[in-house]
Amino acid sequence: METKRFIIGLGEALWDVLPEGKKLGGAPANFAYHAGQFGLDTIAISALGEDALAEETIEALKEHGLNYLMPRVPYPTGTVQVTLAEGGIPTYEIKEGVAWDNIPYTDEMAEIAKNARAVCFGSLAQRNKVSRENIRKFLADTPADCLKICDINLRQQFYSKEVLEDSFRLCNILKINDEELVVVNRMFGYDGLDMRQTCEKMVQDYGLKMLVLTCGTNGSYVFTDDGLTSFQDTPKVEVADTVGAGDSFTGSFCACILNGKPVQEAHKTAVQVSAFVCTQNGAMPVIPDKLKTV
């Protein structure tokens, strides 16, 4: 019997605590959920506390039909306090010393790593040494043909040049947005280069297969190691909320590439799915079938 190969979202599992209530967040679950809608076997890997919120997390994951591997650790389940300033502008306080800062590396995780088709990780989950080291062990145990996607997420003070540089070297697909690119440009001394030149240089410098750059309403790009550039406009839609839109882009793009679609086709699908998610409340709506064959 052929061993099942998984697409993995690896990193933070947390709840966004909003003025109107709380909802499950964290890129790994969002990524795994959306990649799974394209018929792939997916799993979200993180850690949970020994508390009531952990039980709620498991219920929410089951409700969305998500496979998960989230060992219990003696730290509280992660939360993000979201407060709305004047004009409804949100500010985030990501709690520290939580379960996903302390993801262990278990035998079960090592087995999944050995059979990974793709794994998506970010910079936020590497803010603490324990999770950082175990994420790297996981990546080191993946097969040579595994897609390793780094979707960086520069939040508060939870990143450093060292963590970012290591992450760029550990991945073969990098996803970054235009605001993050400005920070990276300054941090890595790419001053004087325009956006395209920076992206092309990063592909070369870090031996990437692809770099995906999203620019909000100004469209998105994919730069590949063989010199291809794909551009897609951002569709104009009635936005309900943008929660999870970036993760839906990454999940659907990854799934399309693994399903053998050309880069431009995968890019177009990712853009359409992301736009659809913006029209829905919450990060995990069901994607209409017609969008999976864009």
Side-chain angles (χ1 to χ4, degrees):
M1 194 175 93
E2 194 182 348
T3 307
K4 190 178 275 192
R5 295 193 68 189
F6 280 102
I7 287 77
I8 299 124
L10 174 61
E12 64 274 14
L14 48 83
W15 287 82
D16 292 318
V17 182
L18 301 140
E20 70 273 17
K22 64 181 188 301
K23 54 186 171 186
L24 185 64
N30 294 341
F31 167 83
Y33 173 77
H34 287 292
Q37 293 197 77
F38 287 80
L40 300 175
D41 293 310
T42 62
I43 188 163
I45 296 182
S46 187
L48 297 173
E50 296 159 339
D51 51 22
L53 207 48
E55 300 299 333
E56 288 187 55
T57 306
I58 288 165
E59 281 308 307
L61 293 168
K62 285 179 177 171
E63 201 178 298
H64 287 97
L66 254 174
N67 288 314
Y68 62 90
L69 180 54
M70 299 188 182
R72 301 298 183 92
V73 293
Y75 297 89
T77 298
T79 55
V80 178
Q81 196 69 42
V82 184
T83 50
L84 298 177
E86 199 176 334
I89 307 297
T91 56
Y92 304 93
E93 185 199 344
I94 304 171
K95 301 292 184 186
E96 294 185 70
V98 291
W100 60 263
D101 283 321
N102 296 278
I103 302 169
Y105 193 48
T106 64
D107 291 345
E108 202 176 345
M109 285 183 197
E111 201 53 42
I112 289 170
K114 272 187 253 171
N115 296 299
R117 283 188 78 194
V119 55
C120 183
F121 68 101
S123 49
L124 179 59
Q126 297 182 70
R127 68 180 181 174
N128 187 51
K129 189 180 178 203
V130 175
S131 288
R132 182 164 65 247
E133 288 182 353
N134 289 328
I135 285 169
R136 291 174 190 194
K137 283 179 189 170
F138 188 99
L139 293 169
D141 283 346
T142 57
D145 66 348
C146 179
L147 283 186
K148 295 188 278 284
I149 304 151
C150 177
D151 188 351
I152 73 168
N153 32 13
L154 307 185
R155 299 283 186 270
Q156 293 172 220
Q157 74 281 14
F158 301 128
Y159 61 92
S160 67
K161 185 179 179 184
E162 182 191 3
V163 165
L164 293 180
E165 189 157 32
D166 287 347
S167 298
F168 300 160
R169 294 193 190 286
L170 288 166
C171 71
N172 46 38
I173 298 179
L174 175 63
K175 179 165 172 277
I176 190 167
N177 67 35
D178 50 351
E179 291 177 1
E180 292 162 342
L181 191 70
V182 171
V183 175
V184 167
N185 214 318
R186 195 170 55 238
M187 197 181 266
F188 285 80
Y190 291 137
D191 300 331
L193 300 183
D194 64 23
M195 190 177 69
R196 175 189 288 268
Q197 289 169 330
T198 299
C199 291
E200 289 172 347
K201 183 161 173 51
M202 289 181 77
V203 168
Q204 198 174 18
D205 287 355
Y206 297 103
L208 302 173
K209 286 181 180 170
M210 297 177 221
L211 186 150
V212 179
L213 172 68
T214 58
C215 304
T217 55
N218 296 317
S220 57
Y221 300 81
V222 180
F223 301 92
T224 71
D225 58 356
D226 57 5
L228 172 79
T229 303
S230 172
F231 173 77
Q232 288 284 331
D233 282 314
T234 301
K236 289 178 171 55
V237 294
E238 191 73 39
V239 175
D241 71 49
T242 59
V243 177
D247 301 323
S248 72
F249 183 113
T250 315
S252 49
F253 181 77
C254 172
C256 290
I257 294 292
L258 290 174
N259 285 337
K261 302 290 185 194
V263 168
Q264 292 100 323
E265 212 175 301
H267 186 192
K268 187 176 182 185
T269 299
V271 164
Q272 297 289 343
V273 167
S274 178
F276 168 75
V277 171
C278 287
T279 68
Q280 307 295 302
N281 285 308
M284 298 186 192
V286 175
I287 300 168
D289 286 341
K290 65 179 185 200
L291 289 184
K292 298 178 199 172
T293 53
V294 171

